[in-house]
Amino acid sequence: MQWTDQIRRIKIVLVVAAVLIAVASLLISHFLVRDLSNEEHNRMEVWAQALHALNAADETTDLSLVLSVMEGNNTIPVIVMNDEGEITDYRNIEDTARIESYARKMIHAGDTIHVDGQLVCYDESIMLKRLSAWPYIQLGIVLVFVVVAIFALLSSKQAEQNKVWVGLSKETAHQLGTPVSSLMAWVEMLKEQYPEDDLLPEMDKDVKRLQLIAERFSKIGSLPEPVESSMNEVLGHVVSYMDRRTSNQVQIISCLPDHEVVVRMNASLFEWVIENLCKNAVDAMEGKGTITLTLYEEPQGVAIEVQDTGKGIKKKDLANVFTPGFTTKKRGWGLGLSLARRIVEEYHHGRIFVKQSEVGRGTTFRIELKK
């Protein structure tokens, strides 16, 4: 839970930093563009005055300075029109075929200066246009950087968590191996000495259960080979196991097709998934209610739904129920649903999700597998 909150805070900080950088960039660029635009407007006024001086010049006027000013404009597009709307001169225009529409665009934008019955139309220079577009390019780069950073952060942490869970699972299986083997040997010895004891078969079942748990943990992190198995049998084993280990106030109902539904899967691990969902349901119902297991056979695969009548899941927690470490219990590691999703999605290439949940009414988990 703490890591989930930490990830959320880091994402918020990255997004806020990106917004601040973007806003600062846009403001600075806006002021720069505004100052450059004013400077270009002043330059065009000087250019228009030089045009006025050229029109008013006689044979004795020194035009060297005037011509220097007019020839010095190599960046700002300019179109000069007479009173009749005819174009008499232009500078820095590449597409002369559309010069008339370009002039109308300048007039519509209000970038004009009247001089001696002539209309001087001008536009922003290419450099100013590029500078105006740069903040939005920079904003896009910042957003891409933030998205990549968040994705890398989540991916690296997910990989680290996977290594931790796999290492923990294999170490648990290793630690269970020796005492389980010893218990199996002791049970066999007790059977020989007390063959009529009624408790020994139940003890044998519990030892075999420990052996199955150790086997399941050992398979986490590897890619167990799926084989064709009966989903009806898997769900039947879960119902039988849960019936013996829950109170009489918990009713488990299984709704299965009349025929066998065969799916390629690792039956041991998939049985673990259903057990985890059922155990969570018992905890959510606080030991009193109904759990319904339903198996659907669909055209593209099969679906299993586990429905309970428990306290439900709050909407704000729905996005985190499969996150490692997330739990609403006072005691719990928050690994059950995370491992269940890993088994379903990575080992069986299916999907598991919360189909429906209502506070005070119950929750329905749905698993979908391909045939």
Side-chain angles (χ1 to χ4, degrees):
M1 186 67 177
Q2 292 179 351
W3 171 248
T4 303
D5 294 337
Q6 185 178 358
I7 284 289
R8 187 180 294 110
R9 286 194 295 268
I10 292 175
K11 289 192 290 185
I12 292 174
V13 169
L14 287 173
V15 172
V16 171
V19 171
L20 292 177
I21 292 172
V23 170
S25 175
L26 289 173
L27 287 175
I28 293 173
S29 299
H30 170 73
F31 292 129
L32 288 174
V33 169
R34 185 192 61 183
D35 293 342
L36 287 174
S37 180
N38 292 334
E39 182 181 348
E40 288 190 353
H41 177 74
N42 294 333
R43 287 177 59 190
M44 290 312 304
E45 288 185 341
V46 172
W47 195 89
Q49 292 175 5
L51 179 63
H52 168 69
L54 181 62
N55 293 334
D58 54 21
E59 296 179 355
T60 61
T61 304
D62 185 6
L63 298 177
S64 58
L65 180 59
V66 173
L67 294 176
S68 177
V69 170
M70 297 191 69
E71 294 294 332
N73 175 28
N74 297 316
T75 57
I76 304 175
V78 180
I79 299 175
V80 181
M81 306 177 68
N82 58 23
D83 292 336
E84 297 177 356
E86 297 176 349
I87 297 175
T88 59
D89 194 11
Y90 60 87
R91 291 186 63 83
N92 305 319
I93 305 293
E94 295 182 358
D95 189 3
T96 57
R98 302 178 60 185
I99 191 169
E100 293 183 357
S101 61
Y102 195 14
R104 288 193 298 269
K105 179 181 177 182
M106 295 176 181
I107 295 172
H108 181 72
D111 297 329
T112 58
I113 300 174
H114 291 271
V115 178
D116 297 336
Q118 293 180 307
L119 188 64
V120 178
C121 308
Y122 62 94
D123 193 10
E124 295 178 344
S125 62
I126 295 178
M127 181 180 67
L128 185 58
K129 289 180 178 180
R130 290 175 178 172
L131 185 59
S132 300
W134 169 245
Y136 301 99
I137 298 175
Q138 190 177 26
L139 177 61
I141 294 173
V142 171
L143 290 177
V144 170
F145 168 77
V146 171
V147 171
V148 171
I150 292 176
F151 179 77
L153 176 67
L154 295 177
S155 298
S156 62
K157 190 57 187 178
Q158 184 67 35
E160 181 181 346
Q161 287 176 340
N162 286 338
K163 290 181 180 178
V164 172
W165 306 141
V166 170
L168 178 63
S169 299
K170 290 189 175 298
E171 181 63 21
T172 302
H174 176 71
Q175 295 296 334
L176 285 174
T178 301
V180 168
S181 299
S182 299
L183 286 172
M184 293 177 68
W186 282 109
V187 169
E188 293 300 322
M189 291 178 62
L190 289 173
K191 284 181 180 180
E192 293 179 359
Q193 294 184 17
Y194 308 98
E196 304 298 330
D197 196 313
D198 296 334
L199 296 178
L200 287 178
E202 293 300 320
M203 186 183 297
D204 186 47
K205 289 181 181 178
D206 288 336
V207 172
K208 289 180 178 179
R209 179 70 185 178
L210 284 174
Q211 185 182 22
L212 177 63
I213 291 173
E215 179 187 351
R216 288 172 175 175
F217 274 111
S218 68
K219 291 178 180 178
I220 298 297
S222 60
L223 290 177
E225 184 67 25
V227 296
E228 291 188 353
S229 305
S230 170
M231 185 64 73
N232 305 60
E233 290 185 5
V234 169
L235 298 182
H237 291 163
V238 174
V239 172
S240 176
Y241 172 77
M242 294 299 299
D243 271 338
R244 296 196 304 269
R245 286 162 176 79
T246 54
S247 68
N248 294 330
Q249 293 180 317
V250 175
Q251 183 181 11
I252 302 178
I253 302 173
S254 58
C255 301
L256 308 178
D258 295 332
H259 59 280
E260 292 290 325
V261 178
V262 178
V263 182
R264 286 185 60 83
M265 61 179 170
N266 184 283
S268 175
L269 288 180
F270 197 81
E271 191 174 317
W272 192 10
V273 172
I274 306 300
E275 285 180 14
N276 273 326
L277 294 179
C278 290
K279 290 177 181 178
N280 286 344
V282 173
D283 292 337
M285 297 186 302
E286 298 179 348
K288 183 179 181 181
T290 303
I291 300 174
T292 305
L293 298 179
T294 308
L295 174 61
Y296 299 98
E297 189 170 18
E298 300 176 345
Q300 300 299 324
V302 298
I304 303 97
E305 291 187 359
V306 180
Q307 182 180 8
D308 64 61
T309 57
K311 58 186 178 181
I313 304 172
K314 298 178 181 178
K315 289 185 178 180
K316 67 182 183 67
D317 293 332
L318 286 174
N320 298 318
V321 293
F322 295 105
T323 302
F326 176 83
T327 180
T328 57
K329 304 175 188 177
K330 293 182 180 179
R331 295 181 180 179
W333 288 25
L335 298 181
L337 288 177
S338 173
L339 289 174
R341 184 174 67 173
R342 182 187 183 95
I343 292 170
V344 172
E345 295 184 355
E346 295 189 19
Y347 298 163
H348 295 86
H349 306 292
R351 55 191 296 253
I352 178 173
F353 57 94
V354 179
K355 179 182 178 181
Q356 184 179 4
S357 184
E358 185 176 349
V359 176
R361 300 288 299 274
T363 302
T364 301
F365 282 88
R366 181 177 172 90
I367 302 173
E368 296 178 351
L369 298 178
K370 295 180 181 179
K371 282 190 176 180

